[in-house]
């Protein structure tokens, strides 16, 4: 968390203004369209990331469906994951957030600004209701980020098992599924170092409804998990070759 302190200290004089505007947009989403709210949050995120000595390297944006109304399924490494998306993903999105973080200052305001959905992982009925609501909103053209592992991995760039139930949202919505591979995101806030850190985010080839309509969710989960695992392995191999060279 030392890096969070660094990000705040380096923006100490503008932070109150950021917090005011994020709160304003979050408290009155009906007065400000999604693009206006999202654009402001992206601007703040980019500056905060830079001041925290964080570089986000991105590829695969061409893989994003041309039409909105898709669900991004990344591996989950930590708190910085959302900031990597905010810096690189140009179109507004919402996320599925666990109830444990909904009242944390600043995170609460960002949740309101993005109009995220809150899930109680201990309540199966409520969780399914959230999945159905997300599917309905995806059908209207909203984009979502859903961490199918259910919780962050604590093994660095090794990912956890993807939960098949998470993919019911896409099945209900009949929408594109976009696998996303995150590398080294955990290093930002989960280590005590303040050295420069580079986070990689790779938007992978999507699965469209025609690709998965005849598959069970457990099969869909396996495909997405493998694509992300393969992308991480490839990126790490390439990085290793750079070091050797």
């Amino acid at each position: 968390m030392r890096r969070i302190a660094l990000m705040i200290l380096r923006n100490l004089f503008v932070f109150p203004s950021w917090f005011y505007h994020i709160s304003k947009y979050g408290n009155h989403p009906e007065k400000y369209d999604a693009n206006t709210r999202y654009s402001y949050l992206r601007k703040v995120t980019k500056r905060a990331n830079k001041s925290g000595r964080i570089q986000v390297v991105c590829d695969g944006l061409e893989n994003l469906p041309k039409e909105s109304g898709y669900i991004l399924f990344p591996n989950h490494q930590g708190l910085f994951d959302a900031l990597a998306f905010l810096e690189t993903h140009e179109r507004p999105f919402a996320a599925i957030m666990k109830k444990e973080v909904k009242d944390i200052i600043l995170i609460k305001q960002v949740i309101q600004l993005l109009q995220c959905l809150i899930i109680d992982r201990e309540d199966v009925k409520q969780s399914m209701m959230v999945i159905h609501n997300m599917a309905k909103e995806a059908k209207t053209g909203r984009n979502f980020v859903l961490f199918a592992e259910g919780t962050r991995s604590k093994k660095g760039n090794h990912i956890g098992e993807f939960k098949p139930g998470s993919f019911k949202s896409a099945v209900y919505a009949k929408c594109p599924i976009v696998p996303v591979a995150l590398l080294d995101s955990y290093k930002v806030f989960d280590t005590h170092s303040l050295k420069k850190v580079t986070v990689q985010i790779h938007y992978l080839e999507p699965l469209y409804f025609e690709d998965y309509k005849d598959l069970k969710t457990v099969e869909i989960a396996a495909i997405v998990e493998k694509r992300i695992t393969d992308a991480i392995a490839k990126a790490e191999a390439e990085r290793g070759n750079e070091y050797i060279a």
Side-chain angles (χ1 to χ4, degrees):
M1 294 300 178
R2 291 175 63 191
R3 200 179 298 269
I4 293 179
L6 176 66
M7 294 163 79
I8 293 174
L9 286 173
R10 284 190 165 181
N11 296 286
L12 194 59
F13 294 107
V14 294
F15 185 80
S17 175
W18 288 355
F19 186 80
Y20 168 77
H21 283 91
I22 290 172
S23 298
K24 179 181 71 173
Y25 290 138
N27 289 330
H28 303 286
E30 74 285 350
K31 292 176 61 176
Y32 307 97
D33 64 72
N35 286 321
T36 298
R37 302 194 312 267
Y38 186 73
S39 294
Y40 184 80
L41 187 59
R42 280 197 80 205
K43 180 179 72 172
V44 169
T45 298
K46 289 180 178 181
R47 179 163 172 178
N49 287 348
K50 184 177 181 179
S51 63
R53 310 186 75 196
I54 307 156
Q55 180 185 21
V56 181
V57 176
C58 169
D59 71 15
L61 288 173
E62 69 278 4
N63 287 323
L64 292 174
K66 294 181 180 179
E67 299 294 329
S68 288
Y70 49 82
I71 302 177
L72 301 152
F73 284 91
N75 56 309
H76 192 14
Q77 295 196 336
L79 289 173
F80 186 76
D81 297 351
L83 299 185
F85 277 104
L86 285 167
E87 175 155 334
T88 60
H89 194 273
E90 295 183 354
R91 284 177 263 178
F93 68 85
I96 306 302
M97 306 291 288
K98 59 184 181 180
K99 70 170 187 176
E100 289 83 358
V101 302
K102 69 181 180 66
D103 293 320
I104 297 176
I105 191 167
L106 188 56
I107 294 180
K108 174 182 178 180
Q109 285 72 31
V110 170
I111 286 173
Q112 292 172 332
L113 183 150
L114 294 175
Q115 295 290 282
C116 297
L117 303 181
I118 304 299
I119 193 166
D120 182 351
R121 294 176 297 180
E122 303 300 320
D123 187 333
V124 176
K125 184 177 180 181
Q126 191 272 350
S127 297
M128 288 308 302
M129 186 178 299
V130 170
I131 293 296
H132 278 283
N133 288 339
M134 179 171 58
K136 289 179 182 178
E137 294 190 29
K139 283 183 177 181
T140 69
R142 292 195 76 196
N143 304 315
F144 284 90
V145 172
L146 178 55
F147 297 102
E149 289 163 282
T151 187
R152 64 176 180 166
S153 168
K154 296 183 180 180
K155 298 180 180 179
N157 289 324
H158 296 281
I159 71 175
E161 182 180 357
F162 276 35
K163 293 179 169 52
S166 302
F167 293 90
K168 289 182 179 180
S169 54
V171 174
Y172 295 152
K174 299 181 180 181
C175 70
I177 292 170
V178 184
V180 185
L182 287 160
L183 287 86
D184 298 336
S185 182
Y186 69 95
K187 293 181 179 180
V188 178
F189 296 142
D190 291 350
T191 65
H192 297 295
S193 174
L194 292 178
K195 293 181 180 179
K196 290 182 179 179
V197 60
T198 298
V199 174
Q200 296 183 39
I201 181 167
H202 303 268
Y203 294 91
L204 308 177
E205 184 180 349
L207 285 81
Y208 291 92
F209 182 64
E210 289 299 315
D211 300 322
Y212 67 81
K213 65 178 183 179
D214 296 322
L215 301 178
K216 297 178 180 179
T217 53
V218 66
E219 296 172 310
I220 300 171
I223 292 171
V224 173
E225 183 180 327
K226 186 176 188 306
R227 287 193 183 182
I228 293 173
T229 300
D230 288 349
I232 290 174
K234 179 181 178 182
E236 290 188 318
E238 291 174 351
R239 181 165 57 186
N241 291 334
E242 290 177 3
Y243 291 153
I244 294 171

